[in-house]
Amino acid sequence: MGILERARVEWFAAAFGLVVGTMMVFVPYEFGAPLFQLIYPYVRPLGSLFLVGSATMLAAMMYPTWPPFVGWLGRALFLGAVAFYWWGATVMPRGITGFVLYPLLAGLMLLERTHRFRERGLLSVLIACVALSFGGLMVLVPGSVIRMSLLAFGPFVRLLGGAFLVTGTLLAVGLWRGRGRACRIAVGGLSVLFLALTLVLGSRGSWSGMGVYAVLALACLLLLWAREVPVLSGVRWRLFRGMALASVLPILALGAVTSYVAQRALEVELRGKAQHAVVTETAWLEQKTALARALLGAQSRDPAFIAAARTGNLEVLRERVELLEFDSGLFDATWLLDSTGETLVPSVKLNRRTGNFADRDYFQQALKGGDQVLLSKPFLSRAGVPFVVFTAPVELGDGRRLVLVGGLSLKGLGLQPTLASSSYHVELFDRRDGTLLRETDRGDVLTRAPVLEVLPPEALAVHEGQREVVGASGRRLLAAYAQVDGTPWTVVVTARLRDAFAPVTRMGAWVVGTAVLAGAIALLLSQWVGRDVAVRLETLRDGFAALGTPALEQRVQDRGDDEVAQLASGFNDMAARIDRTQKELREAIAIRDQFLSMASHELRTPLTPLKATLELLIRQSESSAGLTPERQRASLERLTRQVDRLTRLIGDMLDVSRLQAGRFALTVASMDLVALAREVMERVQSTRPERQGVLSLDVPDAPLVGRWDEQRLDQLLTNLVENALRYSPPGAPVTVRIREEDGQVRMDVEDHGIGIPAESLPQLFTPFFRARNAAEHYAGGLGLGLAICREIVERHGGRIQARSEGPGQGTCFTVWLPRSVVVEPA
């Protein structure tokens, strides 16, 4: 099952929180549908809560070694935002799909944190539950689903619900029975269904729902495409998470702050412009109506006009009425009615239409209104032209009254350019019955004003004000309104927030796009840089693994000049040293084994005759026959020689032990090297009577005095002479020469024995080493004498050298010593 069992709900929750939070912060005015009325005042803080909670959860999941409280803090913030959103945008508006989805999301998130599901993800379970729940709701109560969000599906909603039920059941059974193929078929179908919901809700502008279903569709596609949960470890993952968090989150945070500041500034500017637009429009209407009233009032009270009316001079009356109609520039038509409503002077612009207008409201109000100039309700003239009229009574005396009428065509009023910006929508309506007088977009009149459907009555009861409202299409609008003084009219200027905030939206889109691009670039860079670093580190890892083998033949490539290259170069040096050390250790082990073999043999060699001689002495002492003095002396001499041999062997081993422990010290004093050489030669000759006549000493006649360690030089010379005798055939001469040379003392010990092979000369002074021909020509010894000789010479500040022409050609050991030795601490 792989990823189907391990994909976690928290990853889905973090993605959903980032998507919805980004929408709420960057385009809050898009949450203006009736569904979001309760949360709209808090949409920006709610979006910030989603973003912070999701980002904290995401950081805790990407850095599992952080303290656990970081993850719990992120979950608490996210779940708090989900709870508020669920209650305000689902429970209160009675949203049926969100009522199921968000509790499922929160419950499975918390369930994943329990011990039982700590190693298992429940994202597949969430998708199966959502599919089954949505499918059941669409089949059982399709009307509720259509009403809330899926109007576009209409009669097909039951079919859609059946598809959800089938795929959800297939996924649930597949998870229960462990059928990976069935699960993948199910999530593939669900990805198509969720994508369809995403497109439908996107076309309706339901941003949060679109975000939820988009993330669900993406999750299904990932479950379908991936086979295993990627292992989030290694250099590449560390580089990616660091670069992603360092690039994406700061950009989003900075963009959110910038967007908020820009929106607030633009909102202030928008409110100011809307208020200015409504004030300008109101002032223009006030001026127009006041001027119309003044002209009509002045004409109705003009004595000449009244005199002409009394005398029935229609020519003067017609001239004055046409003057108002054509020369004032205010009225689209003027006419004069008598007290019965009959037309005395018709309007030229209305084709001199005459008749009785006593049934008109404006005529009846004029007869009852005293001497005031009145403004009528809008009406449709007999010519089919919408009008509002100003009526002014003309008092003739004796209870007689004429009515002077000045009309404004609402079509003409609508054709006049508004003083507000073209991005604003202007409506003018009559408060008495809500009849529309003017509308900039469609030019409709004598209908009910559309703005009355979105503005509450209490808003229009005040003289002026502003508020955000939701239009008939579900879009957020900013409405500024004001009453026209002296009239029953109200002007409303509205601006669509989406259009007004379009620059900020574009900026937000660029910010989000930049953040996504930065994340993609971080991914590519982490893969590129991480691949190079990972390959080089893997090479180092393989190299370290090879350190345990007998030999390291492959070097690690150290290309470049960065820290990894320096590490690789240091590794190669270390590996070379380890290789050399391993070789030396192997050689030392071989020498040790050889030494143990030789030491056991060499120690047994003197012990055997010692034991035999002692047993012989015991038997002879127990027998009746006594020992002759000669035989007793010979036996004791044999015992003495074997004891001396044992003593010499043990002394050599002790010297080597002191040498290795750093306790090989010198005791320097003034001495005569010539006298020491004669003493050594005499002692060797006395202990080896069979070698009488083969030893020769060549020394100066005068004493050769210097500051040396007499005991160690005695040991040096004795070892060299004994070696020369041991590896020389009987009768072969051995020569010892001592002389001064270039301020130093030179000693040569030369023999004509078995010689030394050329390949053995470099290791001749190594402890336990014996040349090949020396091992074949058994002459006893442990291979320690020459190593001790070298140490003695070097402690004196001198040097020792061996020369040989090859096997059978003899050997010459040469020692150079300074005349005075400076003793260094051992």
Side-chain angles (χ1 to χ4, degrees):
M1 297 288 284
I3 192 172
L4 290 169
E5 290 185 344
R6 298 185 60 192
R8 302 186 68 81
V9 176
E10 278 191 340
W11 288 102
F12 166 80
F16 162 70
L18 288 176
V19 171
V20 175
T22 300
M23 291 178 181
M24 289 182 173
V25 170
F26 284 94
V27 283
Y29 44 82
E30 292 294 346
F31 293 80
L35 181 68
F36 304 112
Q37 289 303 299
L38 294 176
I39 70 167
Y40 182 75
Y42 318 102
V43 67
R44 280 197 186 99
L46 183 61
S48 302
L49 196 62
F50 267 117
L51 281 178
V52 173
S54 301
T56 306
M57 275 200 309
L58 190 63
M61 288 185 287
M62 296 175 75
Y63 290 89
T65 57
W66 283 11
F69 81 87
V70 177
W72 282 111
L73 176 62
R75 293 182 204 100
L77 295 175
F78 175 81
L79 291 176
V82 167
F84 184 82
Y85 181 82
W86 174 70
W87 183 260
T90 301
V91 176
M92 297 301 292
R94 298 181 182 178
I96 191 167
T97 54
F99 189 84
V100 175
L101 174 62
Y102 299 115
L104 270 176
L105 175 62
L108 291 178
M109 273 185 63
L110 295 176
L111 191 61
E112 276 187 344
R113 304 312 303 173
T114 61
H115 181 73
R116 180 177 180 181
F117 295 98
R118 185 65 59 86
E119 300 299 326
R120 181 184 175 187
L122 298 177
L123 180 58
S124 301
V125 176
L126 172 67
I127 294 174
C129 292
V130 169
L132 292 173
S133 302
F134 282 16
L137 293 173
M138 291 176 187
V139 171
L140 297 176
V141 284
S144 299
V145 178
I146 293 173
R147 177 178 60 85
M148 293 305 298
S149 55
L150 300 181
L151 186 62
F153 282 98
F156 305 104
V157 70
R158 289 184 185 272
L159 183 61
L160 181 66
F164 268 112
L165 282 176
V166 171
T167 50
T169 303
L170 181 61
L171 178 57
V173 173
L175 291 173
W176 178 45
R177 302 296 296 273
R179 304 293 175 83
R181 183 177 179 83
C183 291
R184 289 190 175 84
I185 293 174
V187 296
L190 287 171
S191 66
V192 176
L193 296 176
F194 285 129
L195 184 60
L197 294 181
T198 302
L199 297 176
V200 169
L201 293 176
S203 65
R204 296 188 67 246
S206 180
W207 290 79
S208 59
M210 183 182 68
V212 173
Y213 297 128
V215 176
L216 278 171
L218 179 61
C220 290
L221 289 175
L222 290 176
L223 292 177
L224 177 65
W225 171 71
R227 290 294 182 267
E228 294 290 338
V229 177
V231 179
L232 304 180
S233 61
V235 174
R236 299 183 192 181
W237 165 243
R238 291 177 178 270
L239 283 173
F240 169 69
R241 70 186 183 186
M243 295 175 69
L245 291 179
S247 57
V248 176
L249 293 183
I251 292 176
L252 283 178
L254 181 60
V257 173
T258 305
S259 176
Y260 173 75
V261 173
Q263 286 177 14
R264 294 296 296 175
L266 194 58
E267 185 176 344
V268 171
E269 182 182 3
L270 181 64
R271 288 179 178 274
K273 287 184 176 180
Q275 188 65 31
H276 176 72
V278 76
V279 168
T280 304
E281 193 76 13
T282 306
W284 173 70
L285 289 171
E286 289 175 356
Q287 182 182 11
K288 188 177 184 69
T289 57
L291 187 56
R293 278 195 171 97
L295 284 175
L296 280 181
Q299 188 65 48
S300 66
R301 291 187 293 271
D302 184 18
F305 185 78
I306 295 173
R310 286 175 179 171
T311 60
N313 190 347
L314 294 179
E315 187 65 27
V316 174
L317 293 177
R318 186 179 297 112
E319 181 182 348
R320 292 295 187 95
V321 169
E322 291 180 358
L323 183 65
L324 285 175
E325 187 175 36
F326 288 100
D327 293 347
S328 66
L330 289 174
F331 301 107
D332 297 302
T334 57
W335 62 92
L336 182 65
L337 302 177
D338 64 13
S339 58
T340 62
E342 290 291 340
T343 306
L344 290 177
V345 179
S347 171
V348 177
K349 292 183 179 179
L350 295 179
N351 298 321
R352 300 187 184 278
R353 186 181 296 273
T354 62
N356 189 291
F357 298 95
D359 59 332
R360 292 291 187 179
D361 289 339
Y362 66 83
F363 176 75
Q364 296 174 7
Q365 290 175 359
L367 292 178
K368 301 175 183 178
D371 59 352
Q372 295 180 0
V373 178
L374 301 178
L375 178 61
S376 73
K377 293 181 180 180
F379 64 94
L380 193 64
S381 71
R382 291 178 181 178
V385 179
F387 264 91
V388 292
V389 296
F390 293 90
T391 57
V394 181
E395 297 291 342
L396 301 179
D398 301 329
R400 292 186 301 158
R401 173 178 288 190
L402 302 181
V403 177
L404 181 61
V405 181
L408 298 177
S409 171
L410 297 183
K411 285 188 176 180
L413 188 66
L415 292 175
Q416 292 186 17
T418 178
L419 300 178
S421 171
S422 60
S423 60
Y424 292 96
H425 176 76
V426 180
E427 291 183 26
L428 175 65
F429 66 91
D430 195 314
R431 291 191 302 276
R432 291 171 292 189
D433 56 5
T435 304
L436 183 66
L437 304 178
R438 183 186 186 197
E439 186 178 18
T440 55
D441 285 352
R442 297 187 299 271
D444 295 338
V445 292
L446 301 185
T447 60
R448 183 167 177 80
V451 74
L452 294 176
E453 303 299 328
V454 296
L455 276 175
E458 62 271 13
L460 301 176
V462 298
H463 186 268
E464 63 180 22
Q466 284 187 359
R467 67 170 54 201
E468 286 188 24
V469 295
V470 181
S473 61
R475 303 298 182 188
R476 297 296 298 186
L477 303 174
L478 175 63
Y481 46 88
Q483 297 177 0
V484 181
D485 290 340
T487 70
W489 296 348
T490 296
V491 176
V492 180
V493 176
T494 57
R496 289 187 290 269
L497 293 182
R498 168 183 282 185
D499 298 337
F501 289 135
V504 179
T505 303
R506 287 193 293 270
M507 182 194 71
W510 277 107
V511 169
V512 175
T514 302
V516 173
L517 181 62
I521 293 174
L523 177 60
L524 293 176
L525 287 177
S526 65
Q527 291 297 312
W528 177 55
V529 177
R531 183 183 298 112
D532 178 64
V533 175
V535 168
R536 295 159 74 181
L537 291 179
E538 287 169 1
T539 306
L540 278 173
R541 180 196 61 195
D542 296 339
F544 277 109
L547 289 178
T549 60
L552 180 63
E553 298 178 355
Q554 183 178 3
R555 289 174 55 87
V556 175
Q557 294 184 358
D558 54 354
R559 64 182 184 275
D561 57 354
D562 54 10
E563 289 80 357
V564 178
Q566 296 171 4
L567 179 62
S569 177
F571 170 81
N572 289 330
D573 294 340
M574 179 188 69
R577 291 194 299 270
I578 291 177
D579 192 31
R580 290 193 300 269
T581 303
Q582 286 179 339
K583 291 179 180 178
E584 293 174 357
L585 285 174
R586 288 193 293 271
E587 293 173 357
I589 291 172
I591 293 172
R592 182 203 64 187
D593 294 341
Q594 180 183 4
F595 162 73
L596 292 175
S597 176
M598 290 187 302
S600 61
H601 180 73
E602 290 295 327
L603 290 174
R604 190 172 57 228
T605 299
L607 289 176
T608 301
L610 272 174
K611 183 179 181 181
T613 303
L614 289 173
E615 289 177 350
L616 177 61
L617 289 174
I618 292 171
R619 286 197 302 271
Q620 289 177 348
S621 64
E622 291 176 351
S623 64
S624 58
L627 292 174
T628 63
E630 292 78 7
R631 295 183 63 184
Q632 187 177 13
R633 185 172 55 255
S635 297
L636 293 175
E637 288 176 354
R638 286 197 300 273
L639 290 174
T640 301
R641 283 196 300 273
Q642 300 305 325
V643 170
D644 290 342
R645 186 173 182 180
L646 278 174
T647 302
R648 187 170 60 253
L649 288 173
I650 293 173
D652 287 347
M653 287 190 287
L654 287 175
D655 284 341
V656 169
S657 176
R658 293 191 190 98
L659 187 152
Q660 293 177 343
R663 292 183 287 105
F664 196 88
L666 300 180
T667 303
V668 177
S670 180
M671 57 165 288
D672 182 6
L673 188 57
V674 173
L676 177 65
R678 289 194 177 99
E679 180 182 345
V680 170
M681 296 294 286
E682 290 175 0
R683 185 172 64 250
V684 172
Q685 285 180 345
S686 63
T687 57
R688 290 178 174 268
E690 72 279 3
R691 296 286 187 162
Q692 293 288 339
V694 300
L695 290 174
S696 61
L697 179 63
D698 181 8
V699 295
D701 295 334
L704 195 56
V705 179
R707 291 182 58 79
W708 299 295
D709 187 327
E710 183 175 0
Q711 181 181 357
R712 293 301 181 185
L713 290 186
D714 185 315
Q715 184 180 4
L716 167 69
L717 194 54
T718 302
N719 279 346
L720 293 176
V721 173
E722 291 283 353
N723 264 2
L725 293 174
R726 186 180 301 120
Y727 294 106
S728 296
V734 174
T735 303
V736 177
R737 292 184 293 273
I738 299 177
R739 61 183 181 274
E740 283 190 272
E741 184 179 279
D742 298 330
Q744 293 181 318
V745 175
R746 174 173 176 170
M747 293 189 296
D748 294 306
V749 178
E750 185 177 6
D751 63 61
H752 297 78
I754 63 174
I756 301 173
E759 67 272 10
S760 298
L761 285 173
Q763 296 177 281
L764 192 61
F765 297 98
T766 302
F768 312 120
F769 177 79
R770 301 185 72 192
R772 174 175 47 81
N773 58 342
E776 295 171 355
H777 176 83
Y778 177 71
L782 298 175
L784 298 176
L786 291 179
I788 295 172
C789 289
R790 184 190 66 177
E791 188 67 21
I792 293 172
V793 172
E794 290 179 353
R795 288 298 178 96
H796 279 82
R799 57 191 176 92
I800 185 170
Q801 176 183 323
R803 300 191 309 277
S804 177
E805 299 299 328
Q809 301 299 315
T811 306
C812 179
F813 289 91
T814 302
V815 176
W816 288 272
L817 292 175
R819 293 294 294 267
S820 180
V821 178
V822 178
V823 181
E824 296 180 358

